[in-house]
Amino acid sequence: MVNITNCANTERRLFMAISSISNQNLRRNYQSLSSGKRINKAADDAAALAIAQKLLSQKNGYDSGYRNAGTSKDMLNVADGALSSITDNLQRIRELGVQASNFMYTASDRGAIQAEIDQLKQSISDTASQTQFNKMNILDGSMSSSHVAAGPNGGGLEIHMPNSALEALGIADFDVTSGDFDLSVIDDAIDKVSSQRSSMGASSNRLDSVMAYNANASYHLTASQSRLEDLDYPKAVSDLKKNQLLETFQVMMRRKHLENENGRVMQLYRS
């Protein structure tokens, strides 16, 4: 009788161990398939989880750098549009200056020409003082440079922002009414603005390169992270089918176990 009892206990413990393992495997299968992730907790793959999180941090850094570079490029586009308007005004001022240089114009005529020049100068001043990006002035000299955090760790590049105020361009006192004025002042101002636009254009092209690099780096980091974390669905479905078969076998074992125990009980009664 003791041997029969010990045998029954051994079978019961074996059955419970197999049942526990089977249930754990099924839970893991269902969890992975529902989340689409191979790693749902640290215990699934501790080393891969640590590496995947580092890759995710780098990927997020490159994504943020990409957005920062794009925002800075938008700022440069706004500044370039404003400088284009300033250039148009300077060209008109020069045209009026050449007109005022003609000997046949009287002082009254030059006064009328200067009135238009003053309006053009005011337009330049307004453009320089009122051109903003994210409520920050970008052409009045208050923003000497702009740091673009385009790198994954906050590093990046510096963009020099121009000062297009009348004083900085050297045309604040330009006046044609006296008849003794220097058109080279306007030429110098046009050259300054053209140089500013050229510098910003080069910075814009550099930002394009940075954005392309960040997008490429982010793509490959995401692919690497995916290989570590994401679920291999065909394999997962295959594992699920296998564990379901094991569960079916477990049910059969349970039924056989109950039949054996019933047989032993009947044997005990007969004896």
Side-chain angles (χ1 to χ4, degrees), residues 56-95:
L56 178 61
S57 295
Q58 285 186 296
K59 181 257 184 190
N60 289 339
Y62 278 114
D63 288 345
S64 293
Y66 180 93
R67 291 191 293 271
N68 289 341
T71 300
S72 296
K73 185 175 173 63
D74 292 337
M75 179 186 69
L76 291 178
N77 290 337
V78 171
D80 184 65
L83 289 178
S84 176
S85 174
I86 289 175
T87 299
D88 292 341
N89 287 331
L90 288 172
Q91 291 289 0
R92 177 56 180 165
I93 290 174
R94 190 183 190 284
E95 181 182 352

Side-chain angles (χ1 to χ4, degrees), residues 76-77 79-88 139 160 162 164 190-205:
L76 291 178
N77 290 337
D80 184 65
L83 289 178
S84 176
S85 174
I86 289 175
T87 299
D88 292 341
L139 292 180
H160 176 71
S164 299
I190 292 174
D191 289 342
K192 286 180 182 178
V193 175
S194 297
S195 177
Q196 291 168 353
R197 295 185 69 187
S198 176
S199 176
M200 289 196 304
S203 296
S204 181
N205 290 336

Side-chain angles (χ1 to χ4, degrees), residues 166-183:
L166 295 177
E167 293 76 9
L169 295 178
I171 62 170
D173 299 325
F174 183 75
D175 192 328
V176 299
T177 55
S178 64
D180 183 19
F181 55 90
D182 187 1
L183 274 179

Side-chain angles (χ1 to χ4, degrees), residues 33 232-242:
L33 287 169
D232 182 349
Y233 270 95
K235 183 178 183 303
V237 171
S238 176
D239 289 342
L240 177 64
K241 294 297 183 182
K242 179 183 69 176

